[in-house]
Structures are given as structure tokens and as C-alpha cells.
Amino acid sequence: MEKYEKFGTKEKILDSALESFSTSGFDATSLDVIAKSLGVRKQTILYHFGTKKGLLNAVVERAAENLINSIEEVLNSELKGWERIEALARMIFRLALREPLLLGLLREVSRPGSAGSERLRILMTPLMDRGTLWMQSEMEVGRMRRTNPRLVILSAYSTVVGLATEIEVLRAAGIEQALRPVTIRRRELIRFLRVSLDPDYLKSK
Amino acid sequence: MEKYEKFGTKEKILDSALESFSTSGFDATSLDVIAKSLGVRKQTILYHFGTKKGLLNAVVERAAENLINSIEEVLNSELKGWERIEALARMIFRLALREPLLLGLLREVSRPGSAGSERLRILMTPLMDRGTLWMQSEMEVGRMRRTNPRLVILSAYSTVVGLATEIEVLRAAGIEQALRPVTIRRRELIRFLRVSLDPDYLKSK
DNA sequence: AATATTATTTACCAATTGGTAAGTTAAACT
DNA sequence: AGTTTAACTTACCAATTGGTAAATAATATT
């Protein structure tokens, strides 16, 4: 693609933008500030990404790639039915803790009407459709309880996004690296998914 | 207080600002736009609130008052121990559903480092201290399980704030007024609180 | 070596923003 | 009626912002 690039400038810009969008938000992020922090002129940013929104979209795309790759890994495993769901949930939590910036970006961009929400939707739609279809086929063969797949997926999604707020609030309150609340959230999410989806759960109880 | 005021201008400004801060965020809110929408000059806003941040603080304060009054109501009841906790949780959810703007503002202002987070903290600290003390005294007399009160309160808080995201995400996905996920969240929160605090819960199970 | 292309910079700008200063209107007090 | 004070407006501004246009530097391509 790029023939020559001084020193991965484009990547550096993406990194810095991710940090700023994730922690300060889109509107509070200034191209001048990013440029200055990188020792680069603002026009370099605009050269690579066209507009500020273009930069945001690029950041969102890279983050989504990151996420989708992780999901892909689980989907390529041979886990079936409920076990696959649980593996997905655990993977998402692992990813969220490993890359908090990604989580922050997701929250920033999840607000409907925000600058990046449209792009996020476009990127997530295929994933959502695929998940919905898979869940429906699992329901057909009785490996999964009958529910509204989209509702379940979106609730799980917002649980993860809510995690971003929780971590930050706890940190701001001086409770550093509180793993317990995160663990609790994960357990709650898995239980929620299990109640909604696992056909064997209620029987075994 | 105010001797004469044309038509409740101050209140109208606060209403409009709450709406904008809550849905678009602080940075994306323009004083000019608010003023124009109200048929008032921008300087009128600045006359009443000094600065933009002053306006935000006023909005936050009014919202906090709203919240604190509701809490006060429950605290003045004769409910003890676990029952009081559950009443609080139900009240918060009721309030959140009745006044979604309040919820949106809370989310906007909960991000550490945001313009309003400091004021929010100042307003919430007495509430937090009071709650902590009460819970500790309840623990002393054995009406409540021993845990870290601040951690429990903050986790509950972020659950409620996360609700804002969830409602908006679901709405954006075309799932209007989905009461089920909200009910589920409430049930989850109450169960979380129960497991953490109710000394009789595990016995009765 | 000459040329084309990519990457980055310098120079500018129009629009918006929050904010200041000073004036004007209107109500309240005396 | 005259004065004070509160509410609001007109006029203006400095700073920042995202963005355009053109020049320059660096690297491939031929």
C-alpha cells in the first residue's frame, strides 16, 4: 500500500488519536494538540485522513478489526452451543481489560448520534447478522433456548461498554485495579446469557 | 431570590442546557445554539451563569438536587437493613426511567476528567459518606453483611449509569421501549446488592 | 539523472466559540 | 418622580478550530 513512510507516522497518529478519543472524547480532541504531541504538522494528519471525522473512522475501523479478529478466533474453535457463548464472553472481558483504550473508544462511539456511531454500526452489522443467524440455527436444533437474539447481543454489548464507566469511576474514586467488580460483571453477564440461552441451565438447577 | 425575571428565563436555559449536555455532551454544546433556540442572546446565559462551565455546574446541581430529594424520601422511611437498600434501588430505577435526561447527564459527567465530574464528586461525597457510615453501622449490629461499602455503592452507581448507554443503544437499534432489559438490569442489581449485603439471603437459599 | 509520486510543511483562512465591556430596558424601592 | 438594581442586549474580540492551497522534501520508478 504505502510506498514509503517516514516512521510509521500514520500508525503513530492512529495511536495518539485513539488515546485522545478514548479518554477525552471526539469533540474535546484537537488535531493541533495531537499533531504537536507527535512533533508533526496538523496538515500531515489531514493528508492521511482527510478530515477529523475521517481520522475517527480510521481509529474505529482499526479497533473494530482488533475486536473482530478476537471474535473470529473463538468462532473458529469447535465449541458448540452454550460453550461457545461463554468462551466469547470471557474473551471479550479479557480483551477489554487488556486494552482499556479500545473499551473507552467503544463507549465514546456508542452514543447514538455521536460522530463515530454510524461507522461503528456499519462495522458491527455483519457481525450482528452473523451472530443472529447462528443463534437462530442453534435454536432450531434445540441447542439454544428461543429468545430474541438481537436483544441478547445488545444487552451483552452494553454490559461490556458499561464496564468502561465502572472501571473509570472506581479508579477516580481511588479504588485502583479493583478486579472484583469486573469479575462480578463477568459472572453476571455469563449468568444472564446462560439464563437466556442455555437450555440445560434451568434443568440442572 | 430573583426579584423580577421576564419569564423564567433562567429555568428555561437550565432545561435547554440539560437537554443538550445530556444528549450531545458538554463540548458539543454551543451557548449560541442554546440561546438561539430560546430566542435569547448568548449574553443572557453568561449573565446568569458566568461561564459555560458555570452553566454546567448549575445543571448538575439541579439534577443532583432532584436525585438527592428522591433518596431523602426513602431514607426518611422506616425501612431497615436490606429492605431499605432494595427500596433505594427501585427508586433509582424509577427515577432513571422517568427522567432519561438526568441519566444522560450523569453519564456525561461521570467520565473522570470531564468538565462536570468535579462538581458531581463534590455533590455526591456527602451522600457517599452518609451511605458508607450507615452501612457500617448496619454491619456492626449484624443487619448487613461485612463488605466494602464504597465498592458496593460505586458498582451500583455504574450499573445505573450504564443503563443510559443500554437504553440508547437499544433504541438506536430500533428496539423501542424495551422494558425487559431494564427489568433484567434492575433484577441483577438487586441480586448483586442482596448477595453483597443481605445476611439472610444465603441462609434462605 | 530525470521524473513521477508520496509525504510533509508553510502559509492562510473562514467560521465558531466562550467571553468582556458597555449600553439599554424594566421593575422595585424610596 | 427619581434612583437603584436586576435582566437583558448590542457591539466587539481574541483564541481556537477544522480545513484549503500551494510549496517543498523525500523516495521510487524509468
Side-chain angles (χ1 to χ4, degrees), chain B residues 58-89:
Chain B
V59 170
V60 170
E61 261 162 47
R62 204 182 52 161
E65 242 174 66
N66 202 335
L67 177 65
I68 289 174
N69 282 342
S70 294
I71 293 179
E72 214 67 59
E73 250 177 63
V74 178
L75 294 190
N76 287 336
S77 69
E78 301 117 36
L79 297 171
K80 292 281 170 200
W82 163 249
E83 288 188 354
R84 174 176 279 197
I85 295 279
E86 181 162 350
L88 274 171

mmCIF file of all heavy atoms in Angstrom, chain B residues 58-89:
data_model
loop_
_atom_site.group_PDB
_atom_site.id
_atom_site.type_symbol
_atom_site.label_atom_id
_atom_site.label_comp_id
_atom_site.label_asym_id
_atom_site.label_seq_id
_atom_site.Cartn_x
_atom_site.Cartn_y
_atom_site.Cartn_z
ATOM 1 N N ALA B 58 -24.446 24.434 37.252
ATOM 2 C CA ALA B 58 -25.820 24.701 37.689
ATOM 3 C C ALA B 58 -26.743 23.564 37.276
ATOM 4 O O ALA B 58 -27.604 23.144 38.044
ATOM 5 C CB ALA B 58 -26.304 26.025 37.105
ATOM 6 N N VAL B 59 -26.546 23.086 36.058
ATOM 7 C CA VAL B 59 -27.362 21.972 35.583
ATOM 8 C C VAL B 59 -27.126 20.739 36.452
ATOM 9 O O VAL B 59 -28.069 20.068 36.884
ATOM 10 C CB VAL B 59 -27.043 21.658 34.112
ATOM 11 C CG1 VAL B 59 -27.704 20.363 33.688
ATOM 12 C CG2 VAL B 59 -27.506 22.789 33.210
ATOM 13 N N VAL B 60 -25.857 20.460 36.713
ATOM 14 C CA VAL B 60 -25.516 19.303 37.541
ATOM 15 C C VAL B 60 -26.118 19.447 38.938
ATOM 16 O O VAL B 60 -26.666 18.488 39.494
ATOM 17 C CB VAL B 60 -23.985 19.125 37.631
ATOM 18 C CG1 VAL B 60 -23.622 18.088 38.675
ATOM 19 C CG2 VAL B 60 -23.417 18.729 36.278
ATOM 20 N N GLU B 61 -26.031 20.655 39.466
ATOM 21 C CA GLU B 61 -26.553 20.869 40.814
ATOM 22 C C GLU B 61 -28.046 20.632 40.879
ATOM 23 O O GLU B 61 -28.549 19.998 41.808
ATOM 24 C CB GLU B 61 -26.241 22.295 41.272
ATOM 25 C CG GLU B 61 -25.025 22.361 42.169
ATOM 26 C CD GLU B 61 -24.460 23.769 42.257
ATOM 27 O OE1 GLU B 61 -25.233 24.700 42.462
ATOM 28 O OE2 GLU B 61 -23.217 23.906 42.087
ATOM 29 N N ARG B 62 -28.753 21.140 39.884
ATOM 30 C CA ARG B 62 -30.194 20.958 39.884
ATOM 31 C C ARG B 62 -30.548 19.479 39.774
ATOM 32 O O ARG B 62 -31.447 18.975 40.448
ATOM 33 C CB ARG B 62 -30.835 21.744 38.740
ATOM 34 C CG ARG B 62 -32.287 22.074 39.001
ATOM 35 C CD ARG B 62 -32.918 22.796 37.840
ATOM 36 N NE ARG B 62 -32.746 22.120 36.568
ATOM 37 C CZ ARG B 62 -33.502 22.369 35.499
ATOM 38 N NH1 ARG B 62 -34.454 23.285 35.564
ATOM 39 N NH2 ARG B 62 -33.285 21.735 34.370
ATOM 40 N N ALA B 63 -29.813 18.778 38.910
ATOM 41 C CA ALA B 63 -30.050 17.348 38.743
ATOM 42 C C ALA B 63 -29.753 16.596 40.040
ATOM 43 O O ALA B 63 -30.498 15.704 40.448
ATOM 44 C CB ALA B 63 -29.201 16.810 37.606
ATOM 45 N N ALA B 64 -28.662 16.975 40.685
ATOM 46 C CA ALA B 64 -28.270 16.309 41.920
ATOM 47 C C ALA B 64 -29.313 16.538 43.000
ATOM 48 O O ALA B 64 -29.652 15.625 43.758
ATOM 49 C CB ALA B 64 -26.904 16.805 42.382
ATOM 50 N N GLU B 65 -29.835 17.766 43.046
ATOM 51 C CA GLU B 65 -30.907 18.072 43.988
ATOM 52 C C GLU B 65 -32.071 17.117 43.792
ATOM 53 O O GLU B 65 -32.588 16.524 44.734
ATOM 54 C CB GLU B 65 -31.395 19.496 43.744
ATOM 55 C CG GLU B 65 -31.195 20.432 44.925
ATOM 56 C CD GLU B 65 -31.584 21.848 44.536
ATOM 57 O OE1 GLU B 65 -32.784 22.070 44.277
ATOM 58 O OE2 GLU B 65 -30.676 22.710 44.470
ATOM 59 N N ASN B 66 -32.455 17.026 42.532
ATOM 60 C CA ASN B 66 -33.528 16.120 42.137
ATOM 61 C C ASN B 66 -33.278 14.717 42.686
ATOM 62 O O ASN B 66 -34.130 14.113 43.340
ATOM 63 C CB ASN B 66 -33.563 16.082 40.604
ATOM 64 C CG ASN B 66 -34.902 15.625 40.081
ATOM 65 O OD1 ASN B 66 -35.629 14.920 40.776
ATOM 66 N ND2 ASN B 66 -35.230 16.026 38.868
ATOM 67 N N LEU B 67 -32.081 14.235 42.437
ATOM 68 C CA LEU B 67 -31.698 12.891 42.867
ATOM 69 C C LEU B 67 -31.696 12.775 44.378
ATOM 70 O O LEU B 67 -32.248 11.830 44.958
ATOM 71 C CB LEU B 67 -30.308 12.569 42.304
ATOM 72 C CG LEU B 67 -29.697 11.230 42.703
ATOM 73 C CD1 LEU B 67 -30.522 10.099 42.133
ATOM 74 C CD2 LEU B 67 -28.259 11.155 42.200
ATOM 75 N N ILE B 68 -31.081 13.760 45.022
ATOM 76 C CA ILE B 68 -30.929 13.701 46.475
ATOM 77 C C ILE B 68 -32.294 13.749 47.159
ATOM 78 O O ILE B 68 -32.531 13.051 48.157
ATOM 79 C CB ILE B 68 -30.011 14.843 46.964
ATOM 80 C CG1 ILE B 68 -28.569 14.541 46.536
ATOM 81 C CG2 ILE B 68 -30.091 15.009 48.472
ATOM 82 C CD1 ILE B 68 -27.591 15.654 46.820
ATOM 83 N N ASN B 69 -33.198 14.556 46.620
ATOM 84 C CA ASN B 69 -34.547 14.601 47.187
ATOM 85 C C ASN B 69 -35.204 13.237 47.165
ATOM 86 O O ASN B 69 -35.820 12.818 48.150
ATOM 87 C CB ASN B 69 -35.403 15.600 46.404
ATOM 88 C CG ASN B 69 -35.102 17.025 46.799
ATOM 89 O OD1 ASN B 69 -34.521 17.273 47.862
ATOM 90 N ND2 ASN B 69 -35.481 17.975 45.960
ATOM 91 N N SER B 70 -35.053 12.562 46.033
ATOM 92 C CA SER B 70 -35.662 11.233 45.928
ATOM 93 C C SER B 70 -35.045 10.275 46.929
ATOM 94 O O SER B 70 -35.747 9.469 47.555
ATOM 95 C CB SER B 70 -35.487 10.694 44.502
ATOM 96 O OG SER B 70 -36.224 11.481 43.598
ATOM 97 N N ILE B 71 -33.734 10.351 47.061
ATOM 98 C CA ILE B 71 -33.054 9.483 48.018
ATOM 99 C C ILE B 71 -33.541 9.788 49.436
ATOM 100 O O ILE B 71 -33.833 8.884 50.226
ATOM 101 C CB ILE B 71 -31.524 9.653 47.910
ATOM 102 C CG1 ILE B 71 -31.046 9.118 46.559
ATOM 103 C CG2 ILE B 71 -30.823 8.939 49.051
ATOM 104 C CD1 ILE B 71 -29.563 9.270 46.341
ATOM 105 N N GLU B 72 -33.626 11.086 49.694
ATOM 106 C CA GLU B 72 -34.064 11.533 51.017
ATOM 107 C C GLU B 72 -35.392 10.892 51.412
ATOM 108 O O GLU B 72 -35.581 10.439 52.541
ATOM 109 C CB GLU B 72 -34.201 13.060 50.980
ATOM 110 C CG GLU B 72 -33.841 13.750 52.280
ATOM 111 C CD GLU B 72 -32.358 13.625 52.594
ATOM 112 O OE1 GLU B 72 -31.514 14.078 51.768
ATOM 113 O OE2 GLU B 72 -32.043 13.070 53.651
ATOM 114 N N GLU B 73 -36.288 10.862 50.434
ATOM 115 C CA GLU B 73 -37.609 10.287 50.686
ATOM 116 C C GLU B 73 -37.511 8.866 51.229
ATOM 117 O O GLU B 73 -38.188 8.506 52.187
ATOM 118 C CB GLU B 73 -38.413 10.264 49.383
ATOM 119 C CG GLU B 73 -39.565 11.256 49.350
ATOM 120 C CD GLU B 73 -40.265 11.222 48.010
ATOM 121 O OE1 GLU B 73 -40.830 10.158 47.677
ATOM 122 O OE2 GLU B 73 -40.224 12.237 47.286
ATOM 123 N N VAL B 74 -36.662 8.084 50.576
ATOM 124 C CA VAL B 74 -36.509 6.693 51.016
ATOM 125 C C VAL B 74 -35.847 6.643 52.388
ATOM 126 O O VAL B 74 -36.244 5.856 53.257
ATOM 127 C CB VAL B 74 -35.683 5.886 49.997
ATOM 128 C CG1 VAL B 74 -35.484 4.465 50.496
ATOM 129 C CG2 VAL B 74 -36.372 5.883 48.643
ATOM 130 N N LEU B 75 -34.860 7.513 52.582
ATOM 131 C CA LEU B 75 -34.124 7.485 53.846
ATOM 132 C C LEU B 75 -35.017 7.876 55.021
ATOM 133 O O LEU B 75 -34.753 7.487 56.155
ATOM 134 C CB LEU B 75 -32.913 8.417 53.772
ATOM 135 C CG LEU B 75 -31.812 8.007 52.786
ATOM 136 C CD1 LEU B 75 -30.574 8.861 52.983
ATOM 137 C CD2 LEU B 75 -31.453 6.533 52.964
ATOM 138 N N ASN B 76 -36.060 8.660 54.729
ATOM 139 C CA ASN B 76 -36.951 9.074 55.794
ATOM 140 C C ASN B 76 -38.010 8.023 56.131
ATOM 141 O O ASN B 76 -38.774 8.188 57.065
ATOM 142 C CB ASN B 76 -37.629 10.400 55.434
ATOM 143 C CG ASN B 76 -36.645 11.554 55.526
ATOM 144 O OD1 ASN B 76 -35.646 11.475 56.246
ATOM 145 N ND2 ASN B 76 -36.916 12.619 54.794
ATOM 146 N N SER B 77 -38.043 6.977 55.316
ATOM 147 C CA SER B 77 -38.977 5.901 55.634
ATOM 148 C C SER B 77 -38.424 5.075 56.793
ATOM 149 O O SER B 77 -37.292 5.276 57.226
ATOM 150 C CB SER B 77 -39.179 5.013 54.407
ATOM 151 O OG SER B 77 -37.995 4.290 54.144
ATOM 152 N N GLU B 78 -39.227 4.161 57.275
ATOM 153 C CA GLU B 78 -38.759 3.387 58.439
ATOM 154 C C GLU B 78 -38.138 2.053 58.033
ATOM 155 O O GLU B 78 -37.936 1.175 58.871
ATOM 156 C CB GLU B 78 -39.919 3.131 59.404
ATOM 157 C CG GLU B 78 -40.586 4.381 59.931
ATOM 158 C CD GLU B 78 -42.033 4.440 59.484
ATOM 159 O OE1 GLU B 78 -42.659 3.374 59.415
ATOM 160 O OE2 GLU B 78 -42.512 5.548 59.176
ATOM 161 N N LEU B 79 -37.912 1.909 56.751
ATOM 162 C CA LEU B 79 -37.329 0.645 56.287
ATOM 163 C C LEU B 79 -35.941 0.459 56.883
ATOM 164 O O LEU B 79 -35.159 1.402 56.986
ATOM 165 C CB LEU B 79 -37.256 0.643 54.757
ATOM 166 C CG LEU B 79 -38.622 0.712 54.059
ATOM 167 C CD1 LEU B 79 -38.454 0.921 52.570
ATOM 168 C CD2 LEU B 79 -39.415 -0.559 54.349
ATOM 169 N N LYS B 80 -35.645 -0.771 57.239
ATOM 170 C CA LYS B 80 -34.349 -1.066 57.851
ATOM 171 C C LYS B 80 -33.564 -2.051 56.994
ATOM 172 O O LYS B 80 -34.150 -2.773 56.177
ATOM 173 C CB LYS B 80 -34.553 -1.698 59.244
ATOM 174 C CG LYS B 80 -35.130 -0.752 60.276
ATOM 175 C CD LYS B 80 -34.061 0.181 60.846
ATOM 176 C CE LYS B 80 -34.698 1.284 61.708
ATOM 177 N NZ LYS B 80 -33.832 2.440 61.893
ATOM 178 N N GLY B 81 -32.281 -2.074 57.223
ATOM 179 C CA GLY B 81 -31.411 -3.082 56.626
ATOM 180 C C GLY B 81 -31.622 -3.275 55.144
ATOM 181 O O GLY B 81 -31.705 -2.310 54.376
ATOM 182 N N TRP B 82 -31.760 -4.525 54.782
ATOM 183 C CA TRP B 82 -31.840 -4.871 53.382
ATOM 184 C C TRP B 82 -33.026 -4.212 52.672
ATOM 185 O O TRP B 82 -32.930 -3.779 51.533
ATOM 186 C CB TRP B 82 -31.913 -6.395 53.220
ATOM 187 C CG TRP B 82 -32.386 -6.761 51.862
ATOM 188 C CD1 TRP B 82 -33.564 -7.327 51.522
ATOM 189 C CD2 TRP B 82 -31.693 -6.519 50.644
ATOM 190 N NE1 TRP B 82 -33.666 -7.455 50.172
ATOM 191 C CE2 TRP B 82 -32.517 -6.971 49.608
ATOM 192 C CE3 TRP B 82 -30.452 -5.960 50.327
ATOM 193 C CZ2 TRP B 82 -32.147 -6.892 48.274
ATOM 194 C CZ3 TRP B 82 -30.081 -5.871 48.999
ATOM 195 C CH2 TRP B 82 -30.915 -6.344 47.991
ATOM 196 N N GLU B 83 -34.136 -4.106 53.362
ATOM 197 C CA GLU B 83 -35.335 -3.556 52.733
ATOM 198 C C GLU B 83 -35.124 -2.123 52.253
ATOM 199 O O GLU B 83 -35.626 -1.718 51.214
ATOM 200 C CB GLU B 83 -36.507 -3.609 53.714
ATOM 201 C CG GLU B 83 -37.009 -5.029 53.936
ATOM 202 C CD GLU B 83 -38.289 -5.044 54.753
ATOM 203 O OE1 GLU B 83 -38.684 -3.955 55.221
ATOM 204 O OE2 GLU B 83 -38.869 -6.130 54.927
ATOM 205 N N ARG B 84 -34.373 -1.382 53.043
ATOM 206 C CA ARG B 84 -34.094 -0.004 52.663
ATOM 207 C C ARG B 84 -33.239 0.030 51.390
ATOM 208 O O ARG B 84 -33.476 0.819 50.486
ATOM 209 C CB ARG B 84 -33.376 0.700 53.808
ATOM 210 C CG ARG B 84 -32.923 2.084 53.458
ATOM 211 C CD ARG B 84 -32.311 2.803 54.643
ATOM 212 N NE ARG B 84 -33.342 3.367 55.508
ATOM 213 C CZ ARG B 84 -33.093 4.309 56.415
ATOM 214 N NH1 ARG B 84 -31.862 4.762 56.584
ATOM 215 N NH2 ARG B 84 -34.057 4.793 57.155
ATOM 216 N N ILE B 85 -32.273 -0.849 51.321
ATOM 217 C CA ILE B 85 -31.425 -0.926 50.138
ATOM 218 C C ILE B 85 -32.257 -1.214 48.889
ATOM 219 O O ILE B 85 -32.144 -0.545 47.862
ATOM 220 C CB ILE B 85 -30.376 -2.041 50.307
ATOM 221 C CG1 ILE B 85 -29.413 -1.719 51.449
ATOM 222 C CG2 ILE B 85 -29.612 -2.254 49.005
ATOM 223 C CD1 ILE B 85 -28.319 -0.772 51.081
ATOM 224 N N GLU B 86 -33.119 -2.190 49.022
ATOM 225 C CA GLU B 86 -33.933 -2.556 47.864
ATOM 226 C C GLU B 86 -34.849 -1.411 47.451
ATOM 227 O O GLU B 86 -35.005 -1.129 46.264
ATOM 228 C CB GLU B 86 -34.758 -3.815 48.171
ATOM 229 C CG GLU B 86 -35.597 -4.226 46.981
ATOM 230 C CD GLU B 86 -36.092 -5.661 47.064
ATOM 231 O OE1 GLU B 86 -35.628 -6.401 47.954
ATOM 232 O OE2 GLU B 86 -36.925 -6.038 46.220
ATOM 233 N N ALA B 87 -35.400 -0.718 48.419
ATOM 234 C CA ALA B 87 -36.260 0.428 48.114
ATOM 235 C C ALA B 87 -35.468 1.499 47.370
ATOM 236 O O ALA B 87 -35.960 2.115 46.409
ATOM 237 C CB ALA B 87 -36.848 0.996 49.398
ATOM 238 N N LEU B 88 -34.231 1.703 47.799
ATOM 239 C CA LEU B 88 -33.371 2.682 47.122
ATOM 240 C C LEU B 88 -33.137 2.296 45.672
ATOM 241 O O LEU B 88 -33.267 3.120 44.759
ATOM 242 C CB LEU B 88 -32.024 2.793 47.860
ATOM 243 C CG LEU B 88 -31.980 3.768 49.028
ATOM 244 C CD1 LEU B 88 -30.670 3.602 49.792
ATOM 245 C CD2 LEU B 88 -32.124 5.205 48.544
ATOM 246 N N ALA B 89 -32.806 1.026 45.472
ATOM 247 C CA ALA B 89 -32.516 0.563 44.112
ATOM 248 C C ALA B 89 -33.727 0.750 43.211
ATOM 249 O O ALA B 89 -33.623 1.264 42.094
ATOM 250 C CB ALA B 89 -32.091 -0.902 44.142
#
